[in-house]
Amino acid sequence: MTVALAVEQVTKRFGGLVSISDLSIEVSPQEIVSVIGPNGAGKTTLFNIITGVYRPDSGRILVEGNDVTGLAPSTIATKGVARTFQNVRLFHNLTVIDNVMAAMYGRTHAGLVASALGLPRARREEARVREDAKELLSFFGSRLMGYRWEQPAYSLSYANRRRLEIARAMATGATILLLDEPAAGMNPKETHEITEVVARLRGERGHTIVIIEHDMHVVEGVSDRVVALDHGVKIAEGNYAAVATDPHVVESYLGRGTAGTK
Amino acid sequence: MAEESLAIGTDEWVAAHEGRTSGQVQGPVARTFGRLPWWVWGSIAVLVAVVLPLIGSTYLMRVGVNLGLFLMLALGLNLVVGYAGLLDIGYVAFYGLGAYGFAMLASDKFGVHLPTVVAVPVVVAAVSIFGLVLGLAARRLLGDYLAIVTLFFGQMFVEFALSGDAITVPGRAEQVDLTGGTNGITDVDRFSFLGVEFSSDRWYYYLLVVLVVLLALAVRRLDGSRIGRAWKAVGQDPLAAEAMTMPVNRLKIMAFVVGAGIAGLAGTVFAAVQRGVFPSSFDLPLLILLYAAVILGGSGSLKGALIGAALLSLLPEALREPSYSEMVFVLLLVAGLALAVRSWRDRIIVVVATVVFGFVMNLLFTLLHVQGVPASAWTSGPVSTLLGHWLFVPQDRVLWGNLGFVGLVVLLAVLTLVGTRVRPILLPAIVWLSIFVWFVRLADVPSITRQLLIGALLIVLMIVRPQGLFGRRQVEVL
């Protein structure tokens, strides 16, 4: 098995607007692929299609060789694709640890009756999940540790909310993580830290990662490969240096006429 | 890692701030309760509930039965609305279905007298299936849209109960009577288990104590479980929950079914204890009171649902007693004044001005030759005597009371329009008018006064604590 995630000739239209056009992307296991492109290029739409929020008009999504096109988002997440959101969408009134434990729903089994009666089976599972969640939060060093476990998510700083969202995505048990602008709104120091976190996600946890990012330092720092989109079409693909200097990419960001001068 | 504690943009300040204000976040009520563990409070409540019948009258037993039913309903609604975030306006219909279901299976209506151990599970299962059907129909609807559909369902039930006494069935000459229409179904069987008949309210009271305790324990378990967490997640952000492996539609339907089942069970007890069911019992007033209880307690909180329901169930009973309602009135007046005027100097000025204003009005009434009643004629005690010289009580209390009431409402409306400088001038008149209206008119009509007082109490509480007594502060992020 050489392909973790495959997007095969996917097209998505909204009314007359073609948001994604005949797009194919393959991601190998433990690869970090960045998706770049100007606003409206279709990056977040791509994530929404992969995770099942939108159904593509044509084309297929394969996760580890299995066709997941048209499945419910929760099913796709259980099959190994989890995401973060561009505008952080935590469960703000739940505690930090409850946010992480909630995302373990798909890999736990206690039913309604077992939960309501507090059967030993359900309580054992609950204890195990809690330990898993603590272990998972320790991935972020002291950032999300100790007293913060029992704090509501809304009390976290912006950067910590983004970290918690990554922790929550990891908690689903997914091997493939889709990170939608993880460094957006962060200061340079935090941005650097996120770059390290993304590298460690692969190095220590063996995750396959697709990342949407506007900060080119982050893109340069983490990517094995960069895919550039514009108007839903793949305009360049390759390593960072090649894509960043590609005339089509420069043109899409800066406009026609500037490409030749670079 | 050493530099982490000094890092820019981390939430040290937020954390420290939370620490400082944690008392406010938790709320004074929650803090008081937090001093003892939950099971101590629970045991005290259960102990009181168990001992009460030994000293209580039959009236008290009836109050207790109503409280028990209300607690069950609030616990069920809290799961649907507070946890899963589903604005179910038709919730009371499930209660009605449970009651009518039991009445149909255990009364002379159709000559069917199923034993309780059979009838109750059958009815609860049937009501749950209704919940499933409504859940399936409404599973893709959110917020307002769900509210509209469930409101329709709730009203449909009431209509069906009202006009279900004359259903035309194709192929049959005479109309079929299913629900008894406005007359409802009467002579419903009492509960009986193993040959023991639940002959008095006391039996049902103890049954409800057991049911409420079991239900509260189950909800407590659910709260810290996989399912409960998922419900809360779905209630807060369905899209994120779905992306995080939670099947949102299934969880919503599950909440609907469980809520319906609980309401159905409460309905069967209601039918048996009343020995009759009528459409009016399951209409909007009960629904509004239930929602008020859940919101007052703090949506999504078990303690909140229990205490909110207890308050809203017992308060109307307590306010039947004139001296209690007078106490609540005085409390509300003082609290309202304290909220409206912030400095002690102004408060004293307002009180003095009110006293003066009262004597001026007294004089005015005398000059206008309005027929009055001496204070001793309608109340007694030293406070009333004192009050009698200050407060003029006209002969025609209905007329003057109504006039005063209209004046009070107008003044209150004006109060919200004028600036802070004019407000202190209006306040004495408002305070005097409130007292005037209370003694001249409202104290005579306790049934209306009760509603007004509860409404005013809710308004004050919701202004002071918008998230409810035990609710978590709702925070809009970004």
Side-chain angles (χ1 to χ4, degrees), chain B residues 357-407:
Chain B
F357 189 81
F359 284 118
V360 170
M361 288 307 284
N362 209 339
L363 198 70
L364 213 64
F365 275 118
T366 321
L367 287 176
L368 288 173
H369 298 290
V370 179
Q371 288 287 309
V373 186
S376 55
W378 51 281
T379 46
S380 57
V383 181
S384 306
T385 319
L386 220 104
L387 211 61
H389 291 288
W390 179 69
L391 190 72
F392 182 83
V393 181
Q395 185 101 55
D396 192 348
R397 294 167 65 174
V398 174
L399 172 72
W400 285 101
N402 288 354
L403 277 178
F405 196 78
V406 171

Side-chain angles (χ1 to χ4, degrees), chain B residues 12 20 30 62 74 152 172 200 211 292 341 375 402 406 430:
Chain B
E12 296 307 324
R20 275 202 305 281
R62 182 40 68 103
F152 171 74
R172 280 184 69 165
S200 73
L211 284 177
V341 187
N402 288 354
V406 171
I430 289 174

Side-chain angles (χ1 to χ4, degrees), chain B residues 172-374:
Chain B
R172 280 184 69 165
E174 75 275 26
Q175 291 180 317
V176 178
D177 176 5
L178 262 183
T179 63
T182 41
N183 297 327
I185 301 172
T186 47
D187 288 327
V188 177
D189 293 353
R190 294 189 172 102
F191 273 4
S192 69
F193 290 106
L194 307 166
V196 181
E197 198 184 54
F198 282 30
S199 48
S200 73
D201 283 355
R202 189 159 303 189
W203 285 91
Y204 294 97
Y205 174 83
Y206 278 118
L207 174 70
L208 280 165
V209 169
V210 171
L211 284 177
V212 168
V213 167
L214 288 180
L215 200 58
L217 286 177
V219 172
R220 214 191 105 77
R221 287 250 189 259
L222 271 179
D223 187 82
S225 79
R226 171 176 179 258
I227 305 285
R229 226 171 8 243
W231 275 342
K232 285 187 267 187
V234 168
Q236 286 183 33
D237 191 335
L239 178 62
E242 180 77 38
M244 294 297 132
T245 70
M246 287 165 262
V248 171
N249 284 340
R250 262 193 63 169
L251 283 161
K252 279 185 187 175
I253 291 168
M254 206 193 283
F256 254 111
V257 171
V258 173
I262 292 170
L265 179 61
T268 59
V269 181
F270 177 75
V273 74
Q274 292 273 9
R275 305 212 63 201
V277 287
F278 312 97
S280 57
S281 312
F282 313 105
D283 213 339
L284 286 175
L286 177 63
L287 180 83
I288 292 168
L289 210 59
L290 264 177
Y291 264 89
V294 170
I295 293 166
L296 174 72
S299 198
S301 152
L302 168 62
K303 272 182 292 190
L306 288 172
I307 287 170
L311 269 179
L312 279 190
S313 179
L314 295 180
L315 210 59
E317 295 301 330
L319 291 181
R320 273 181 211 279
E321 182 69 31
S323 60
Y324 286 153
S325 67
E326 203 169 297
M327 212 161 70
V328 172
F329 166 73
V330 171
L331 267 175
L332 269 173
L333 199 64
V334 171
L337 248 182
L339 279 176
V341 187
R342 290 297 179 166
S343 87
W344 276 107
R345 195 196 57 152
D346 291 354
R347 280 173 190 161
I348 290 167
I349 291 175
V350 168
V351 170
V352 172
T354 307
V355 172
V356 174
F357 189 81
F359 284 118
V360 170
M361 288 307 284
N362 209 339
L363 198 70
L364 213 64
F365 275 118
T366 321
L367 287 176
L368 288 173
H369 298 290
V370 179
Q371 288 287 309
V373 186

Side-chain angles (χ1 to χ4, degrees), chain A residues 73-74 77 83 89 91-93 101-103 105-106 108 110 112 115-116 118 126 142-143 147-148 155 160-161 190, chain B residues 4 8-11 14-15 221 224-226 229 236-237 239-240 242-247 258 472-474 477:
Chain A
S74 54
R83 69 179 293 184
R89 300 188 75 143
F91 308 123
H92 286 288
N93 280 332
M101 288 164 75
Y105 186 90
T108 44
L112 181 70
S115 297
E126 182 73 11
S142 63
R143 295 292 196 201
Y147 72 95
R148 286 206 181 103
S155 74
N160 267 345
R161 284 182 200 161
E190 291 163 345
Chain B
E4 270 210 341
I8 303 163
T10 53
D11 54 353
V14 175
R221 287 250 189 259
S225 79
R226 171 176 179 258
R229 226 171 8 243
Q236 286 183 33
D237 191 335
L239 178 62
E242 180 77 38
M244 294 297 132
T245 70
M246 287 165 262
V258 173
R472 263 241 162 94
R473 183 170 51 170
Q474 291 283 326
V477 183

Side-chain angles (χ1 to χ4, degrees), chain A:
Chain A
M1 189 188 66
T2 52
V3 180
L5 174 69
V7 176
E8 289 186 352
Q9 296 172 326
V10 163
T11 298
K12 176 72 191 172
R13 296 182 202 85
F14 292 104
L17 180 79
V18 182
S19 184
I20 298 276
S21 173
D22 198 28
L23 182 68
S24 296
I25 296 173
E26 287 196 347
V27 184
S28 308
Q30 304 204 9
E31 193 182 15
I32 301 181
V33 174
S34 290
V35 178
I36 63 167
N39 289 327
K43 304 184 295 291
T44 299
T45 305
L46 174 67
F47 272 20
N48 281 336
I49 290 171
I50 295 172
T51 54
V53 176
Y54 299 146
R55 204 193 167 107
D57 295 316
S58 63
R60 296 195 304 167
I61 306 293
L62 301 180
V63 175
E64 285 162 4
N66 302 313
D67 192 348
V68 299
T69 323
L71 294 179
S74 54
T75 314
I76 294 178
T78 311
K79 284 181 180 293
V81 184
R83 69 179 293 184
T84 65
F85 293 88
Q86 194 175 345
N87 45 348
V88 186
R89 300 188 75 143
L90 290 169
F91 308 123
H92 286 288
N93 280 332
L94 293 191
T95 62
V96 167
I97 199 160
D98 273 353
N99 265 275
V100 175
M101 288 164 75
M104 294 179 176
Y105 186 90
R107 55 196 182 98
T108 44
H109 306 285
L112 181 70
V113 176
S115 297
L117 297 180
L119 296 183
R121 185 158 42 86
R123 300 171 88 166
R124 269 200 303 277
E125 186 179 81
E126 182 73 11
R128 184 171 58 74
V129 163
R130 187 168 286 276
E131 284 313 307
D132 284 0
K134 286 178 183 171
E135 192 271 327
L136 222 158
L137 286 167
S138 72
F139 181 79
F140 294 89
S142 63
R143 295 292 196 201
L144 297 171
M145 289 301 280
Y147 72 95
R148 286 206 181 103
W149 286 338
E150 300 304 332
Q151 298 233 312
Y154 67 69
S155 74
L156 294 180
S157 72
Y158 183 73
N160 267 345
R161 284 182 200 161
R162 285 220 173 266
R163 291 188 189 103
L164 179 56
E165 225 194 4
I166 296 175
R168 195 179 63 171
M170 292 162 73
T172 60
T175 51
I176 302 165
L177 297 183
L178 310 183
L179 309 178
D180 200 341
E181 297 195 29
M186 290 196 170
N187 67 33
K189 185 180 179 306
E190 291 163 345
T191 304
H192 179 69
E193 214 180 284
I194 281 291
T195 313
E196 285 177 358
V197 163
V198 172
R200 283 175 55 222
L201 279 173
R202 189 244 313 260
E204 293 174 21
R205 302 271 167 162
H207 284 295
T208 306
I209 295 164
V210 183
I211 179 168
I212 293 175
E213 190 50 67
H214 280 300
D215 190 321
M216 293 312 263
H217 295 297
V218 176
V219 175
E220 183 178 12
V222 301
S223 317
D224 296 324
R225 194 149 53 92
V226 179
V227 173
L229 298 184
D230 191 23
H231 296 298
V233 180
K234 183 158 72 181
I235 54 171
E237 184 173 4
N239 63 34
Y240 174 78
V243 172
T245 54
D246 187 285
H248 295 292
V249 175
V250 177
E251 187 184 301
S252 75
Y253 272 94
L254 300 176
R256 193 175 295 275
T258 50
T261 61
K262 175 92 181 181

Side-chain angles (χ1 to χ4, degrees), chain B residues 130-186:
Chain B
F130 266 99
L132 179 71
V133 171
L134 185 63
L136 280 171
R139 70 187 186 281
R140 292 193 190 284
L141 300 174
L142 286 172
D144 313 348
Y145 304 100
L146 179 69
I148 293 167
V149 170
T150 51
L151 175 67
F152 171 74
F153 175 73
Q155 286 310 292
M156 199 171 70
F157 169 77
V158 176
E159 280 306 316
F160 176 73
L162 271 174
S163 48
D165 57 344
I167 302 169
T168 314
V169 181
R172 280 184 69 165
E174 75 275 26
Q175 291 180 317
V176 178
D177 176 5
L178 262 183
T179 63
T182 41
N183 297 327
I185 301 172
T186 47

